[in-house]
Amino acid sequence: MADNSTLAGEKWFEYTDETGDGNINNPDNYVLANGNGNSQPPCPTGDEERCAVQAQPQTGDTDHPNLSTIVDTKLRKQQ
């Protein structure tokens, strides 16, 4: 059974591939969704690539996610 409990302080982070390396496991490729991370970004319908994750911010770097704390993932059609 999956644990869907919410940890304190999760934010939404949009996958942007900021670094250009295409690595979904690189926290530098994410930005706070909608400027503050309080709501999920609009993700075009699809299931081909990562659009956003809900996770706790990194300690000392609240602009990027701690990818080991992901509680939700949204996907989109490949662009």
Side-chain angles (χ1 to χ4, degrees), residues 3-12 54-57 66-72:
D3 179 7
N4 290 328
S5 62
T6 301
L7 301 170
E10 286 97 0
K11 301 274 184 190
W12 279 101
Q54 186 180 25
Q56 291 183 347
N66 176 341
L67 296 174
S68 68
T69 65
I70 294 173
V71 295
D72 198 3

Side-chain angles (χ1 to χ4, degrees), residues 15 17 21-27 29-30 49-51 53 65 67 70 73 75:
Y15 176 71
D17 194 17
D21 67 5
N23 183 356
I24 63 169
N25 296 313
N26 181 348
N29 284 330
Y30 294 83
E49 72 178 12
R50 186 172 285 181
C51 176
V53 296
L67 296 174
I70 294 173
T73 301
L75 301 174

Side-chain angles (χ1 to χ4, degrees), residues 11-14 30-42 52-53:
K11 301 274 184 190
W12 279 101
F13 295 89
E14 187 169 7
Y30 294 83
V31 297
L32 279 170
N34 303 310
N36 60 18
N38 290 336
S39 59
Q40 108 181 29
V53 296

